[in-house]
Amino acid sequence: MAYEVAAPKYVRLAQTLQGRIEDGTYPPGSLVPSENQLVQAFGMSRPTVVRALELLKRDGWLESRQGFGTIVRGRPEVIERKSQRGRETLERAESTAAGRLIEVDQVPVPPRVASLLGVPKRTEVLVRRLLVEEDGEAVELTSSYFPAGLVEGTSLADPTPLPEGHRAHLEARKKIRFDHVTERVSARLPSREEAELLGLPEGEPVLSVLVVACDVSGQALQVTDVLLPADRQELEDTYRLD
């Protein structure tokens, strides 16, 4: 049984500070609170605060200016230009992917996927799990979840790799249209099975890109959890699939 593990404290603090930048609490050009102030405000240790600030500096949200302190830069350009991994996931043909399809099965829906798909907890959904490899090394694990009603009349339950992407397959078989994708990126610890598949040592975090593909009404058609050996704060991006 897989258990979801909370992101490290410094990642959660970075997420909180990023949220305050995005909502205007810390506008571009302003000073963020000092390390001492953050330690007092959040009840966290100085090393945790320092690590959170370094994470935000690394990703372009903050910068240090000698004689001034830590300055808010605002939303980094790299985020606006970031790879649309959701599109890649939806359009990748399993039969030609650099990896192998390791599971096609009905499974109890993970709690966070249940809320996104709008299905009751403990409902069984179809999962297609693809392990992507480069030079014999696992670099990505994708688990795509589909509600039962969407699977009927398709080849999604077939254990054979699909020759086209999930989006093309569903739009052709179900006469539906994917309209937009939301990506939610967070750091977490992998389950034992996930760590073994990715070849990660114990305690090594992964970057989870939760890809939610929706129709024009906002109804989720598919949720894919893309796991990468990485550790970053949570980001969210929405874009059209036209």
Side-chain angles (χ1 to χ4, degrees):
M1 184 176 187
Y3 295 91
E4 292 197 15
V5 181
K9 287 184 178 179
Y10 77 94
V11 174
R12 298 200 301 266
L13 177 57
Q15 292 171 350
T16 299
L17 296 177
Q18 178 191 319
R20 294 187 179 184
I21 294 171
E22 293 184 295
D23 69 16
T25 301
Y26 303 147
S30 67
L31 284 170
V32 297
S34 67
E35 292 176 9
N36 285 337
Q37 290 172 323
L38 291 173
V39 167
Q40 294 296 320
F42 292 95
M44 295 184 177
S45 66
R46 183 178 296 276
T48 297
V49 168
V50 170
R51 198 170 182 188
L53 292 175
E54 288 302 319
L55 193 62
L56 292 171
K57 291 174 187 176
R58 184 194 70 185
D59 291 319
W61 293 92
L62 304 174
E63 67 175 313
S64 294
R65 293 183 185 174
Q66 190 171 4
F68 288 92
T70 302
I71 306 295
V72 176
R73 295 183 61 186
R75 178 176 289 275
E77 291 183 5
V78 65
I79 292 177
E80 300 298 339
R81 301 193 308 265
K82 74 183 181 66
S83 172
Q84 295 182 353
R85 186 170 295 275
R87 181 189 294 274
E88 297 169 6
T89 300
L90 291 172
E91 298 181 353
R92 176 167 49 200
E94 296 169 343
S95 60
T96 58
R100 51 197 170 94
L101 191 64
I102 61 174
E103 182 182 5
V104 179
D105 200 5
Q106 293 285 337
V107 299
V109 62
R112 62 176 179 168
V113 175
S115 62
L116 294 169
L117 283 178
V119 299
K121 294 180 180 178
R122 295 182 292 278
T123 297
E124 286 204 340
V125 295
L126 181 78
V127 64
R128 295 184 69 89
R129 187 163 285 129
L130 181 72
L131 184 65
V132 181
E133 300 171 315
E134 291 181 2
D135 299 322
E137 182 179 16
V139 295
E140 179 181 323
L141 176 64
T142 68
S143 301
S144 297
Y145 299 92
F146 306 88
L150 201 63
V151 174
E152 297 175 1
T154 74
S155 298
L156 290 175
D158 190 325
T160 304
L162 294 174
E164 70 274 333
H166 296 159
R167 178 190 179 188
H169 185 79
L170 283 168
E171 288 188 337
R173 300 294 184 91
K174 302 294 288 187
K175 306 304 179 185
I176 58 176
R177 182 178 181 275
F178 285 71
D179 181 73
H180 62 275
V181 160
T182 295
E183 297 178 14
R184 301 178 182 179
V185 186
S186 61
R188 67 173 175 87
L189 294 178
S191 68
R192 180 176 298 179
E193 178 189 16
E194 291 167 342
E196 289 177 353
L197 287 170
L198 289 169
L200 298 175
E202 185 178 356
E204 184 74 16
V206 290
L207 180 70
S208 170
V209 185
L210 202 61
V211 179
V212 186
C214 303
D215 62 18
V216 68
S217 72
Q219 172 62 47
L221 302 172
Q222 170 183 341
V223 175
T224 300
D225 192 8
V226 182
L227 294 186
L228 306 161
D231 187 2
R232 293 171 61 90
Q233 80 277 17
E234 186 174 9
L235 306 173
E236 183 167 324
D237 187 31
T238 301
Y239 51 83
R240 300 193 66 81
L241 289 171
D242 294 335

